[in-house]
Amino acid sequence: MTQRVKKIFFGGEGVKMKAIVMGLVGAVLLATFVSAPLRAQTEVSCAQEYTVAAGDWLSTIAEKYLGSASAYPAIMTQTNLKSQSDFSFATVVNPDSIEVGWKLCIPDQATADALNGVNPPPGLDKNALYNATYSSELMPGGKATLKDGTYTAPADPSGAPGAQMTLTKQIAYGDLNGTPSAAVVTGSTGGGSGFFYIISVMQAQDGKPVEVATTGTGDRSPVLALVIENNQVLVDYLTQGPDQPMCCGTLRVVDTYALEGNKLNQTAHKELGYLGPNGETPGQTLAVTGQVVYREKIAMPEGAVVKVQVADVSRADAPADVIGEQTIENPGNVPVKFSVPYDGAKIQPNFTYAVSARIEVNGQLMWISTTRIPVITNGAPTSDVTVPVERVGSTANTASSDETAKKLTSTTWEWQGSTYKDGTKSTPTNPSQYTAQFEDEGRVSVKADCNSGGGPYQIDGNKLTIGNMVTTLMLCPEGSLGTEFMRDLQNSATFAFDGDNLVITMKDDGGTMTLAPSKQASAALTGVTWQWQGTAQASGDIAVKDPTRYTITFNQDGTANIKNDCNNILANYTLDGSNMKLELGPSTLVACPPDSQDALFSKQLSTVTAYSIDGGMLLLDLADGGVMKFSQGK
């Protein structure tokens, strides 16, 4: 049977997902960096240039070209070394996640054997390295002796997990100052969210590996390639750019070090740039491309302008953040081609992005996209995207009156602003101060800054009529837009949904209002560490051996912290009433014990559709009809 690399789940059922998996790995940040050109690197050659096809794994490619599935690390290292100078080659962050169309660099057999340490120096074989002693400030006493590649300190009296260290598969061999050496990477955690990578140089003394020098790459900064050549250690890794969170760095950096005594001194530092959201090597052009279409068999009106936007729609409690847009004047007839460029540095792999379009004629909205069209991350495309738009004022953009009413009444809507036909705008600084809640009984309740009230409303297809509303008459602070908000609502004529947003067109083509759903998590859900007790499903209930190893904590900001046995996962969640969507993001990459239920836990969390709290228990409904059960941790 073909050997496969261990599957690691990062929010999807398999590992061949588009999201870049950062992994919560890194080391203590170096205090200072002195930028310098990289020293001349040995020419990276490929015995075979291979383009990834559907169904490929690095292990199967390695078996085909190098004779062994376990030789896959050499392909990852050689490809990453090659892509430092040739942007057409992929940047492989996670060996278990490769994408169709990526170009890989297959080394020749001798190079592969050298990269994989097939003939290691005496005293530095992998078995010895996996049972050696390594430094880390997070370990008791500053050091840890591994057993079969891992070390776990006892839990402290409070029950908090102890420090852990793991030796990764990143091992490089070569001579440093004339002495056979090995460079290895360990990952350490003190029990918190950080996971620190430390690079250690090992040399044989009395037939055993001894650590002679160390350095680090930075908190949660995974190593992509590690080699010893030209009497130096080369480290290719990812780290965080100035505006990126610690979990999700995509800035690719290459450093070189010289061994001087018992220190690794940096001799060069080069920033290659930011990876694209699907692992695109820095330097590759990034854009969402496709076409805008409408169903009417009519020519595009004279004076039409097509506007296409790509936006971050991850946060349920905040307006969409536009990361790229294109305005097309004189577009001709549909389909209208578009290409919206975006900055890969702004892309977070665990976030959600969508493309939308609208067609205006002489400043008036005529067509608008009414469904969310995901792009870029989580398996969504970046090319050949079709964006259908529906005509405002027709009934074409409503699937049915029941579905329309349900969506309108499903949430509290926060006013993002109004744009009027003369080009002026009203934009509130705090949208949560201006809200509308359309109730099933035909009443709309409003909050207009310091005042509140409501009145009747009716919908007929996409027509919206709001009757006279009565509100309190408090004097709001200077700068309040309460009067404008109420006036615009009273002038409602039609409505449509632009993705998750509600767009109201005012009477007499007076302009448009945009409102976004407000989806705040309940206090009962957040701030609690929920421990997985098991899952009830039709095929048979699943029991959890140790609930403390599988937990989830929902935060008020829409993020969730997941403990998945020996790994940590950062997730985002959105709520729509009792409906819930969990998007699992980056994870640490520690190999859990054989009895681990980590794969099942992450797989089921990625299919959550709804939640409820019953008798202090959290129940998560799954897409297949199962129910995950959680109790509150002590």
Side-chain angles (χ1 to χ4, degrees):
M1 177 179 292
T2 300
Q3 180 177 351
R4 297 275 185 165
V5 181
K6 179 185 183 293
K7 289 188 178 181
I8 305 175
F9 292 82
F10 299 91
E13 185 168 337
V15 297
K16 295 174 66 69
M17 52 186 287
K18 279 187 162 185
I20 302 174
V21 183
M22 298 297 100
L24 303 180
V25 289
V28 179
L29 282 170
L30 299 174
T32 59
F33 282 113
V34 180
S35 294
L38 290 176
R39 84 285 178 276
Q41 180 180 320
T42 302
E43 177 68 22
V44 179
S45 59
C46 309
Q48 177 81 26
E49 296 181 3
Y50 183 81
T51 301
V52 176
D56 276 341
W57 294 72
L58 276 186
S59 56
T60 57
I61 297 170
E63 186 173 51
K64 178 178 179 179
Y65 290 101
L66 300 176
S68 171
S70 62
Y72 73 89
I75 299 177
M76 174 178 175
T77 298
Q78 193 77 346
T79 298
N80 287 334
L81 292 174
K82 186 69 173 178
S83 64
Q84 290 177 12
S85 57
D86 188 337
F87 301 154
S88 66
F89 284 85
T91 298
V92 184
V93 178
N94 174 18
D96 291 331
S97 180
I98 57 176
E99 182 62 34
V100 173
W102 281 5
K103 186 163 73 170
L104 306 179
C105 179
I106 313 295
D108 59 42
Q109 191 67 55
T111 301
D113 289 346
L115 291 174
N116 286 328
V118 173
N119 297 302
L124 296 176
D125 61 89
K126 292 182 180 179
N127 182 64
L129 293 172
Y130 272 77
N131 292 277
T133 300
Y134 299 93
S135 299
S136 170
E137 294 180 358
L138 300 176
M139 299 299 111
K143 291 184 178 292
T145 299
L146 305 186
K147 182 178 180 181
D148 296 328
T150 61
Y151 167 82
T152 302
D156 66 26
S158 68
Q164 294 182 337
M165 177 184 287
T166 301
L167 183 68
T168 75
K169 294 185 178 181
Q170 294 278 11
I171 301 175
Y173 292 99
D175 286 350
L176 293 174
N177 302 330
T179 302
S181 306
V184 303
V185 183
T186 58
S188 301
T189 178
S193 60
F195 200 93
F196 300 87
Y197 259 3
I198 296 177
I199 300 160
S200 301
V201 170
M202 311 294 290
Q203 294 180 345
Q205 297 180 14
D206 299 326
K208 295 183 179 180
V210 175
E211 185 181 65
V212 297
T214 64
T215 190
T217 59
D219 183 14
R220 286 166 277 192
S221 299
V223 176
L224 308 180
L226 179 69
V227 294
I228 297 176
E229 61 181 26
N230 300 332
N231 202 39
Q232 297 189 85
V233 179
L234 179 144
V235 187
D236 184 343
Y237 63 99
L238 294 182
T239 190
Q240 302 81 17
D243 300 321
Q244 293 186 315
M246 297 303 294
C247 69
C248 312
T250 60
L251 177 62
R252 187 174 175 188
V253 175
V254 179
D255 290 337
T256 56
Y257 298 88
L259 179 63
E260 298 176 3
N262 63 347
K263 294 183 178 180
L264 278 173
N265 291 328
Q266 189 182 85
T267 60
H269 170 82
K270 183 176 182 180
E271 296 182 357
L272 300 183
Y274 293 90
L275 297 189
N278 297 320
E280 294 94 344
T281 295
Q284 294 180 358
T285 301
L286 302 177
V288 174
T289 63
Q291 60 183 3
V292 177
V293 299
Y294 54 64
R295 68 174 66 190
E296 290 83 5
K297 298 184 181 298
I298 60 175
M300 185 77 71
E302 185 177 350
V305 176
V306 178
K307 297 180 179 180
V308 185
Q309 290 185 338
V310 175
D312 174 2
V313 295
S314 304
R315 294 289 302 273
D317 57 350
D321 181 17
V322 177
I323 63 169
E325 56 187 332
Q326 182 185 20
T327 298
I328 307 168
E329 298 180 351
N330 303 314
N333 291 322
V334 293
V336 178
K337 302 289 186 182
F338 65 83
S339 179
V340 181
Y342 62 91
D343 183 357
K346 295 182 178 180
I347 301 300
Q348 301 299 329
N350 56 316
F351 283 16
T352 301
Y353 302 87
V355 61
S356 62
R358 56 195 289 140
I359 301 176
E360 298 177 357
V361 179
N362 298 321
Q364 297 301 305
L365 179 64
M366 296 295 291
W367 283 270
I368 191 170
S369 53
T370 59
T371 58
R372 176 183 288 188
I373 303 175
V375 292
I376 303 177
T377 57
N378 303 312
T382 57
S383 60
D384 299 325
V385 181
T386 297
V387 182
V389 291
E390 303 289 353
R391 190 162 188 170
V392 175
S394 72
T395 57
N397 56 350
T398 56
S400 72
S401 58
D402 289 343
E403 293 176 0
T404 302
K406 182 178 179 181
K407 189 167 185 178
L408 185 67
T409 59
S410 65
T411 187
T412 298
W413 298 97
E414 294 183 353
W415 185 41
Q416 307 302 307
S418 296
T419 301
Y420 308 108
K421 62 181 178 180
D422 62 0
T424 60
K425 295 182 179 181
S426 293
T427 305
T429 56
N430 185 358
S432 65
Q433 290 295 105
Y434 307 88
T435 66
Q437 169 66 62
F438 295 89
E439 301 169 4
D440 292 332
E441 296 79 11
R443 175 179 172 82
V444 57
S445 298
V446 298
K447 176 182 178 183
D449 201 351
C450 65
N451 288 296
S452 61
Y457 79 92
Q458 290 182 338
I459 58 173
D460 181 7
N462 74 324
K463 294 180 180 180
L464 174 63
T465 303
I466 297 180
N468 293 328
M469 290 191 287
V470 178
T471 68
T472 56
L473 300 175
M474 298 288 291
L475 181 63
C476 296
E478 185 178 354
S480 173
L481 295 178
T483 300
E484 290 83 352
F485 177 60
M486 294 297 295
R487 177 197 65 201
D488 294 349
L489 273 179
Q490 292 273 195
N491 283 328
S492 298
T494 63
F495 72 101
F497 294 105
D498 182 8
D500 285 340
N501 289 344
L502 170 65
V503 179
I504 296 176
T505 301
M506 300 179 217
K507 297 174 183 177
D508 302 321
D509 292 328
T512 58
M513 298 181 73
T514 300
L515 300 96
S518 174
K519 303 171 184 176
Q520 297 291 332
S522 68
L525 177 67
T526 59
V528 177
T529 298
W530 298 99
Q531 298 179 349
W532 185 35
Q533 302 298 316
T535 300
Q537 53 188 21
S539 58
D541 291 352
I542 296 172
V544 178
K545 303 169 186 175
D546 184 356
T548 63
R549 290 162 62 181
Y550 309 92
T551 67
I552 183 167
T553 303
F554 295 92
N555 306 311
Q556 278 285 356
D557 63 358
T559 63
N561 300 104
I562 298 171
K563 179 182 178 184
N564 190 19
D565 199 351
C566 62
N567 287 295
N568 297 316
I569 302 175
L570 181 64
N572 286 289
Y573 71 94
T574 55
L575 301 178
D576 184 359
S578 63
N579 295 324
M580 173 185 287
K581 181 180 179 182
L582 264 174
E583 295 181 349
L584 275 61
S587 170
T588 53
L589 302 174
V590 179
C592 295
D595 67 342
S596 177
Q597 294 172 282
D598 58 335
L600 178 63
F601 186 51
S602 58
K603 177 183 177 182
Q604 291 192 340
L605 284 178
S606 69
T607 65
V608 169
T609 60
Y611 84 101
S612 60
I613 297 177
D614 184 8
M617 295 284 291
L618 171 64
L619 307 178
L620 298 182
D621 296 345
L622 306 181
D624 64 1
V627 179
M628 300 181 76
K629 300 179 180 180
F630 294 79
S631 65
Q632 298 185 25
K634 297 181 180 179

